[in-house]
Amino acid sequence: MANSSTQTRYRVSGMDCASCASKIDTAVRRMDGVEDVSVSVTNGSLTVTHADSLGSDAIARQVSRLGYGATPWDRGDGKAGNGTDDRSSSHDDDAGAAGQAWWRSGRARLTIASAAALVVAYGIGLVYPAAEHWPFLAALLVGLVPIARRALSAALAGTPFSIETLMTIAAVGAVLIGATEEAAMVVLLFLVGELLEGVAAGRARASIQGLADLVPKTALVERNGGTAEVPAATLAVGDVIVVRPGDRIPADGEIVEGSSDIDESPVTGESTPKRKGEKDVVFAGTISTDGVLKIRVTATAEDNTIARVVRLVEEAQESKAPTERFIDRFSRYYTPGVLVVGALVAILPPLLFGEAWDEWVYKGLAILLIGCPCALVISTPAAVAAGLSAGARRGMLMKGGAVLESFGRITAVAFDKTGTLTEGKPVVTDVVAYGKTEREVLSMAAALEQGSSHPLAVAILERAKAEKAPIPPAFGAKAVSGKGVEGNVGGVALFLASAKAAAERASLTPEQVSRIGDLNGQGKTVSVLLAGEAVAGLIAMRDEPRDDAKAGLASLKELGIRTVMLTGDNRKTAEAIAAGLGVEALAELLPQDKQRTVGELQKEGLKVAKVGDGINDAPALAAADIGIAMGGGTDVALETADAAILHGRVEDVSRMVWLSRAVMANIKQNIAVALGLKAVFLVTTVIGVTGLWPAILADTGATVLVTANAMRLLGWNGR
């Protein structure tokens, strides 16, 4: 019988660059019983699929030997345990991790100790110049010993060409040629660079986790006729919670009592609060500004909107972009190549041309430091992680770096109509009165529709409520199958029906018939209200476009992207909606027709994104280059789609394109900085202008610049 397997996820501390992730991946993958490994720098996570016979503690110990802390993810305390506390190096915890001051991290303590030792060495050198070699050697060892231990552990675990290896060789070589002081300074600068990387990585990691902090830790829940304060994490679906003015809402839910302006800016980025009342949906982390609400919980803490956003972004960040995969492959050959080049520079000039050994060995060591690949390998994942986080904080979720990259290459977007370009529910657009006021027509129609859940009935009732039209009681109200509804209101027999059914009971004037035809021509459904045998009014309804639909389509056209609307609705309605939005329309399509249309667009050479609800549009979403689900916060259909727009904004499609282009531009800048600085210092080192100190400053400086440049994306403003 085959051994069963399990999946264990760890929180890894001290991992802040792709080089770290590569070492951990290689070391764990070499263990007997390990089937698959996934490492995410941005999440600080390690996910291992392994045989049950291989204990999770053994995996944690393997990680700890490399100098990183590893603890099961669900503990969430950030402290290593169960054999993971082998704190043998500067990688023992995260600088800049959430909830911890950077100067309290193990990495910071080592850096400060190394700096202090170097200051003492300089002091001794000033007093006893003849003995300065030994104090500088001691200062060097303070920082170098942990680095060398990490290099040895990495080599034994399958990564011989690590940055720690390059640093150790360079430092030992410098001591051998008498440059002990420089070697000590180089090690200190290396530790400072690592510390800065850790701070930046910690802040990037905290940026998306900060979303989780929007949800309050406690909630007021109705219990036994009163309220009790309980941890928000313990709320169950169906619980009724009380939210006071100014409080954050602790769970996704539906308002059952009260109304308030809801500030959704922490979740959606929208600056204007929305008025919400009974039956309206609210999200965890949003704020009730001016009213007391009773809310029925519809999702547990681990499944609310914000928790799902965080989880989806974490999963997305574990999916590498094509550019990132290329850089990873490139770096496998790059580092050994640097060692070879450094050795050739150190050996060939003295052997072939009789040059001084000390001078060229020194230059060879400097080249090892220049060649450190940190800035290069972090250039792409840092930008991708920041881009995914920036999008998620604005309700735009993408399944990974590959999807984020692909958005920038989109040349056509196919939209579903109902629920995507439109609100997905009919609203009353026109009320035409004959012999009565519009308010009276609404009042009588609403009286007949009371208690009905039919979408057209709901539209009439909502319009009557908005117009503050009184809704009198109706007597004998009943549905007339396939025609409409009838009843008696205030002693008057009323019949609300389709134009065809109304014409069977009363004579419509040519003007009324013409008006109905005009409204139908605009894609509107018309109900006729009869009072006795006379027409009292017409009520036209239509599923109206979203408020930002027109602007969203226009912004895509500005980007040179073709837009088309695909719908199963009748041609007349589709063309009326399309004319108002300025979009090409294809109507009366079945799901397979939408899929075929996407294929035809692709055959024209277009890169196609399909936007829909992710359920009945599943074939087209799957066929498109990118499938985008237009979600409602708690009901995002991500099974088929590659991306989701949580808050139903059409403009977010163009924002995703802008974000992709911004990320790709950022990656190109990062690669240019990383390789450009190396090229410059390679030349200046060979010709003797720069040495060890500038070499390590170039590497550290490039890493910090690349990371800082990527972090700029966290402040991306939508363009």
Side-chain angles (χ1 to χ4, degrees):
M1 181 186 296
N3 287 334
S4 59
S5 61
T6 188
Q7 188 177 81
T8 306
R9 195 177 189 208
Y10 301 87
R11 192 183 302 275
V12 181
S13 57
M15 177 175 63
D16 50 40
C17 71
S19 176
C20 301
S22 177
K23 283 183 288 186
I24 293 171
D25 185 292
T26 301
V28 174
R29 204 175 285 276
R30 286 162 60 94
M31 298 179 70
D32 291 336
V34 170
E35 298 171 13
D36 192 30
V37 179
S38 176
V39 187
S40 172
V41 176
T42 47
N43 297 335
S45 69
L46 165 67
T47 304
V48 185
T49 303
H50 58 93
D52 289 340
S53 57
L54 177 63
S56 60
D57 287 357
I59 297 170
R61 284 194 295 272
Q62 179 80 331
V63 175
S64 73
R65 291 188 190 102
L66 298 174
Y68 305 91
T71 184
W73 188 267
D74 56 3
R75 279 183 52 180
D77 55 10
K79 296 179 181 178
N82 299 324
T84 68
D85 249 343
D86 179 16
R87 310 251 177 192
S88 61
S89 76
S90 65
H91 271 312
D92 58 358
D93 47 71
D94 285 319
Q100 181 189 43
W102 65 267
W103 59 85
R104 293 181 178 175
S105 67
R107 179 176 296 145
R109 291 195 296 271
L110 179 61
T111 304
I112 292 168
S114 181
L118 192 59
V119 169
V120 170
Y122 273 115
I124 294 174
L126 290 174
V127 178
Y128 303 107
E132 67 176 5
H133 170 78
W134 299 109
F136 278 118
L137 182 60
L140 167 67
L141 292 175
V142 170
L144 184 61
V145 168
I147 294 171
R149 287 184 63 180
R150 279 158 43 197
L152 178 61
S153 296
L156 293 174
T159 309
F161 301 113
S162 64
I163 184 173
E164 288 84 1
T165 300
L166 296 182
M167 179 57 56
T168 303
I169 292 172
V172 172
V175 172
L176 294 177
I177 63 172
T180 308
E181 178 183 344
E182 276 194 276
M185 178 58 75
V186 163
V187 168
L188 174 60
L189 290 174
F190 175 75
L191 293 175
V192 169
E194 282 200 323
L195 179 62
L196 292 174
E197 287 178 37
V199 171
R203 289 181 178 174
R205 201 167 290 144
S207 67
I208 190 64
Q209 290 296 336
L211 275 174
D213 296 333
L214 294 174
V215 181
K217 304 301 180 188
T218 61
L220 288 176
V221 63
E222 287 193 340
R223 296 272 168 85
N224 303 320
T227 59
E229 187 172 78
V230 301
T234 65
L235 291 174
V237 174
D239 282 346
V240 175
I241 56 177
V242 178
V243 179
R244 299 164 298 192
D247 285 354
R248 287 189 185 272
I249 296 171
D252 286 2
E254 181 181 280
I255 297 173
V256 295
E257 186 180 311
S259 64
S260 177
D261 282 338
I262 306 297
D263 178 5
E264 297 185 334
S265 59
V267 178
T268 68
E270 296 291 347
S271 58
T272 305
K274 293 181 180 178
R275 192 72 187 177
K276 294 195 174 185
E278 290 184 25
K279 296 186 178 179
D280 284 333
V281 171
V282 292
F283 307 131
T286 57
I287 303 166
S288 174
T289 62
D290 62 352
V292 177
L293 300 175
K294 288 187 178 180
I295 300 167
R296 180 178 292 107
V297 176
T298 58
T300 58
E302 60 269 18
D303 201 36
N304 66 38
T305 302
I306 287 178
R308 293 180 72 182
V309 168
V310 172
R311 186 164 61 249
L312 287 166
V313 173
E314 287 177 346
E315 291 170 359
Q317 289 177 345
E318 291 177 3
S319 172
K320 291 188 175 183
T323 303
E324 185 176 352
R325 290 195 294 269
F326 169 75
I327 294 294
D328 282 350
R329 291 194 301 270
F330 176 73
S331 64
R332 290 176 195 167
Y333 303 101
Y334 172 84
T335 306
V338 167
L339 278 168
V340 171
V341 171
L344 292 176
V345 168
I347 295 171
L348 291 183
L351 285 179
L352 299 180
F353 307 108
E355 300 285 344
W357 279 97
D358 283 2
E359 178 187 348
W360 285 95
V361 168
Y362 182 90
K363 289 178 180 180
L365 296 175
I367 285 172
L368 292 187
L369 299 180
I370 292 168
C372 289
C374 276
L376 182 62
V377 296
I378 203 173
S379 59
T380 299
V384 168
L388 290 170
S389 298
R393 294 181 74 88
R394 290 160 181 80
M396 296 175 286
L397 301 184
M398 286 163 273
K399 275 191 171 178
V403 175
L404 178 59
E405 277 195 29
S406 297
F407 261 102
R409 297 191 289 270
I410 289 299
T411 53
V413 180
F415 288 90
D416 183 35
K417 180 181 78 70
T418 305
T420 300
L421 288 177
T422 66
E423 293 287 356
K425 59 181 181 179
V427 296
V428 174
T429 58
D430 303 86
V431 179
V432 183
Y434 296 100
K436 300 184 180 299
T437 65
E438 292 182 5
R439 202 159 177 261
E440 287 173 329
V441 171
L442 274 174
S443 183
M444 290 186 289
L448 291 177
E449 298 286 19
Q450 282 188 91
S452 174
S453 59
H454 190 281
L456 298 182
V458 171
I460 291 171
L461 289 166
E462 287 185 351
R463 179 62 178 267
K465 182 180 178 181
E467 297 288 340
K468 294 184 169 56
I471 305 178
F475 299 95
K478 63 179 181 179
V480 180
S481 180
K483 295 184 178 181
V485 61
E486 64 182 3
N488 192 293
V489 177
V492 179
L494 299 178
F495 182 45
L496 182 66
S498 66
K500 181 180 179 181
E504 294 173 359
R505 294 197 183 188
S507 297
L508 276 63
T509 67
E511 187 276 331
Q512 291 167 347
V513 172
S514 175
R515 189 66 181 273
I516 291 170
D518 289 342
L519 292 169
N520 286 153
Q522 297 170 35
K524 298 174 181 178
T525 300
V526 181
S527 293
V528 180
L529 179 67
L530 298 182
E533 295 184 356
V535 176
L538 310 176
I539 299 177
M541 289 163 279
R542 188 173 70 178
D543 181 13
E544 288 291 271
R546 294 180 183 272
D547 291 340
D548 74 330
K550 189 171 184 177
L553 292 167
S555 62
L556 285 169
K557 290 178 182 176
E558 288 177 14
L559 289 165
I561 295 172
R562 178 180 171 185
T563 58
V564 59
M565 182 178 77
L566 310 181
T567 179
D569 218 338
N570 67 76
R571 190 171 306 280
K572 189 176 289 185
T573 299
E575 289 176 350
I577 293 289
L581 294 176
V583 64
E584 177 185 347
L586 297 174
E588 300 175 359
L589 301 177
L590 296 173
Q592 57 266 35
D593 296 325
K594 295 179 181 179
Q595 182 184 27
R596 175 180 48 77
T597 302
V598 167
E600 289 172 353
L601 291 171
Q602 290 170 323
K603 287 177 182 177
E604 293 178 28
L606 298 171
K607 287 283 186 181
V608 182
K610 172 68 174 71
V611 189
D613 63 13
I615 301 170
N616 56 15
D617 284 326
L621 286 169
D625 295 286
I626 297 179
I628 307 169
M630 184 70 81
T634 58
D635 190 26
V636 182
L638 273 174
E639 289 78 11
T640 306
D642 302 299
I645 295 171
L646 279 181
H647 308 299
R649 297 179 293 231
V650 178
E651 283 191 289
D652 280 353
V653 179
S654 62
R655 290 190 182 111
M656 284 175 159
V657 176
W658 276 111
L659 177 58
S660 173
R661 294 183 181 182
V663 169
M664 294 311 296
N666 191 283
I667 289 172
K668 291 173 183 175
Q669 293 162 7
N670 288 345
I671 292 173
V673 168
L675 294 180
L677 279 175
K678 291 182 186 304
V680 168
F681 279 88
L682 178 65
V683 172
T684 57
T685 297
V686 171
I687 64 176
V689 175
T690 55
L692 291 178
W693 292 20
I696 193 63
L697 279 173
D699 177 67
T700 299
T703 303
V704 172
L705 284 174
V706 162
T707 305
N709 190 44
M711 292 306 99
R712 288 192 307 112
L713 290 168
L714 293 174
W716 176 76
N717 62 3
R719 296 291 285 183

